[in-house]
Amino acid sequence: MRALTVTPGTPGSLQVAELPDPEPRAGELLVEGLAVGVCGTDREIVRAEYGWAPPGHDRLVLGHESLGRVRTAPEGSGFSTGDLVVGVVRRPDPVPCGACARGEFDNCRNGRYTERGIKEIDGYAAELWCVEADYAVTLDPRLEHVGVLMEPTTVVAKAWEQVWRVGERAWYEPERALVTGAGPIGLLAAMIGVQRGLDVHVLDLVTDGPKPRLVEQLGATYHHRGVDEVAGELQPDVVVEATGVGRLVFSAMRNTASFGVVCLTGVSPAGRKIQVDAAGVNREMVLENDVVVGSVNANLRHYRQAAEALARADLDWLGGLITRRVPLESFADAFEARPDDVKVAITLDGGR
Ligand code: BGC
């Protein structure tokens, strides 16, 4: 079978390799890959800035935004041939730390977790892959063409859960949310914000293309003015920050309503410096009981929440997020950024 592999730490090493078909171990499903999504983390791995091969190996099979169809499933696993499934990204650390021992591997404390397609375990960008039944999630069959959006949806399902848990330390009825960045994470965060009944605003730089339209189709409001101006006027109760751009992060922190929660989801490259009135930020956060919370990855509870959010969403709208589908053999095209890209998916089944 063919798989998309990379040698972490070596730029220009991305290639389609012919690998032996995987053999499911006890308790594992054998899955035919349908597609994988490409995200910023994949691009970082391809640029040799992130990513780790499995111990004792040079190459890593890429792909953590999975979608596949079960070919074989162990009896009593609850899965059947033909089921549409997604594999979970992270596995708990081997110690395990207190969080991992409780299924909260997304909040692993010692950093020794592993991640499919990212950190020490092969990913899902393969024509065939195996996954432990305990780390697979079934999707509504109607999601066949958009189910590759599941993993980024888990990330935002977790982000919203974090926002609510922080907010519920006191009376909490947030009304207005600002999402910074209209990429897949920002748009899916906006979708969940709308599903939760908030007045959602999305800020990005572009003035045309699919992003403003997708925001409006959700019933949210699109903005492309400066962040200080937009956030300053809106005074949002919640900000979901999905760009990782330092200036936006600090502007969001300064411009929330009282009791504001800013949830940071963007993994930014370190080293870019900006000037900040740190004492001013501190003063405002203290006097307003504001909170800034970082959020990464997702556990099985968030996969269930995401599956529900996708099942409730408009299929055409979700389809509009996948702006390009590239067959495996043309993988290089998938990694070339185009101005109108939202989510690019690599198809693994010949695009059938
Ligand atoms: C993935 C997460 C992962 C994180 C850090 C993100 O792109 O969506 O699942 O935890 O990268 O490796």
Side-chain angles (χ1 to χ4, degrees):
M1 61 126 194
R2 295 179 308 158
L4 187 59
T5 70
V6 67
T7 304
T10 307
S13 61
L14 188 65
Q15 66 172 62
V16 172
E18 189 64 41
L19 298 180
D21 285 2
E23 298 269 353
R25 287 175 297 198
E28 286 189 343
L29 314 175
L30 177 63
V31 179
E32 291 165 13
L34 292 175
V36 285
V38 175
C39 83
T41 299
D42 299 306
R43 293 176 203 281
E44 275 197 1
I45 297 173
V46 168
R47 290 198 305 267
E49 292 165 6
Y50 197 63
W52 299 262
H57 291 79
D58 291 337
R59 300 195 74 81
L60 170 77
V61 175
L62 205 62
H64 60 279
E65 298 186 0
S66 63
L67 182 68
R69 197 173 284 295
V70 173
R71 182 184 278 184
T72 63
E75 240 182 65
S77 65
F79 291 89
S80 318
T81 304
D83 282 354
L84 197 61
V85 285
V86 161
V88 172
V89 176
R90 194 174 282 195
R91 298 293 177 277
D93 78 74
V95 175
C97 73
C100 284
R102 289 163 180 82
E104 299 197 338
F105 44 79
D106 57 316
N107 287 316
C108 178
R109 298 296 202 278
N110 62 24
R112 291 180 58 195
Y113 61 82
T114 52
E115 290 181 338
R116 297 233 12 195
I118 301 175
K119 188 169 183 274
E120 298 167 7
I121 341 180
D122 280 334
Y124 298 111
E127 288 173 312
L128 283 174
W129 40 267
C130 293
V131 65
E132 312 88 306
D134 291 347
Y135 288 95
V137 180
T138 326
L139 283 191
D140 186 326
R142 292 187 314 123
L143 297 172
E144 181 175 0
H145 295 292
V146 294
V148 76
L149 296 171
M150 172 74 165
E151 197 275 342
T153 310
T154 68
V155 165
V156 296
K158 171 178 172 180
W160 275 108
E161 186 196 69
Q162 299 298 296
V163 166
W164 236 264
R165 288 192 171 188
V166 168
E168 282 180 336
R169 73 199 187 283
W171 167 77
Y172 199 50
E173 281 176 19
E175 286 175 7
R176 189 172 299 141
L178 172 65
V179 176
T180 46
I185 292 288
L187 289 167
L188 291 165
M191 176 189 88
I192 294 187
V194 170
Q195 289 183 351
R196 284 180 176 257
L198 277 90
D199 169 23
V200 176
H201 297 256
V202 180
L203 174 79
D204 199 298
L205 292 171
V206 295
T207 50
D208 54 15
K211 292 177 177 179
R213 193 176 60 240
L214 285 161
V215 170
E216 270 142 36
Q217 284 168 351
L218 268 183
T221 311
Y222 184 80
H223 302 266
H224 56 79
R225 287 171 297 148
V227 60
D228 290 333
E229 200 184 332
V230 172
E233 267 171 34
L234 289 172
Q235 294 287 300
D237 302 300
V238 178
V239 178
V240 179
E241 206 299 307
T243 68
V245 175
R247 210 169 43 76
L248 269 77
V249 169
F250 279 89
S251 177
M253 283 161 65
R254 290 227 62 169
N255 286 296
T256 62
S258 197
F259 203 69
V261 182
V262 176
C263 183
L264 306 179
T265 67
V267 186
S268 35
R272 285 188 199 147
K273 298 202 173 139
I274 55 166
Q275 274 204 337
V276 177
D277 173 5
V281 174
N282 171 75
R283 180 185 169 84
E284 214 167 289
M285 288 190 63
V286 170
L287 291 175
E288 293 189 345
N289 290 291
D290 292 339
V291 174
V292 178
V293 56
S295 181
V296 72
N297 196 252
N299 66 40
L300 284 162
R301 185 175 66 249
H302 308 120
Y303 277 74
R304 285 190 291 273
Q305 293 167 0
E308 276 167 33
L310 289 179
R312 276 178 69 188
D314 181 277
L315 282 183
D316 289 336
W317 185 81
L318 290 173
L321 256 60
I322 305 173
T323 40
R324 279 198 293 144
R325 294 175 199 265
V326 175
L328 179 59
E329 54 277 12
S330 311
F331 64 90
D333 292 351
F335 285 85
E336 211 178 78
R338 304 222 180 128
D340 279 352
D341 281 343
V342 180
K343 173 58 70 185
V344 179
I346 297 177
T347 55
L348 302 165
D349 62 344
R352 276 191 294 277

